[in-house]
Amino acid sequence: MSNNRERQRKRVAKVHQRIQDRRKDFIEKLTTRLAHDFIEKLATRLAHDFDVI
């Protein structure tokens, strides 16, 4: 392979890695938020059902 082709291959691989990292970060943040919201709603519902509040 020519040096230029290898350089471009690495450049494209780097861009693909950044995209993959951003997607992973988004999914992790989203699932954390969904879990937090679910637990908060569940706790509120349980507290209301048992008249703790």
Side-chain angles (χ1 to χ4, degrees):
M1 254 194 261
S2 69
N3 286 338
N4 189 40
R5 184 176 175 127
E6 181 64 18
R7 191 172 31 233
Q8 291 303 316
R9 187 190 67 75
K10 287 180 181 180
R11 187 175 179 195
V12 170
K14 188 184 253 187
V15 170
H16 286 174
Q17 185 64 47
R18 283 186 187 145
I19 293 169
Q20 183 179 3
D21 291 346
R22 286 180 182 168
R23 286 179 176 161
K24 183 180 176 188
D25 184 57
F26 172 78
I27 297 231
E28 287 177 357
K29 287 178 180 177
L30 177 63
T31 54
T32 299
R33 183 173 180 183
L34 289 172
H36 182 271
D37 290 350
F38 175 77
I39 291 170
E40 188 175 319
K41 286 180 183 178
L42 181 62
T44 303
R45 182 179 293 165
L46 287 173
H48 183 292
D49 288 349
F50 291 108
D51 294 325
V52 173
I53 297 177

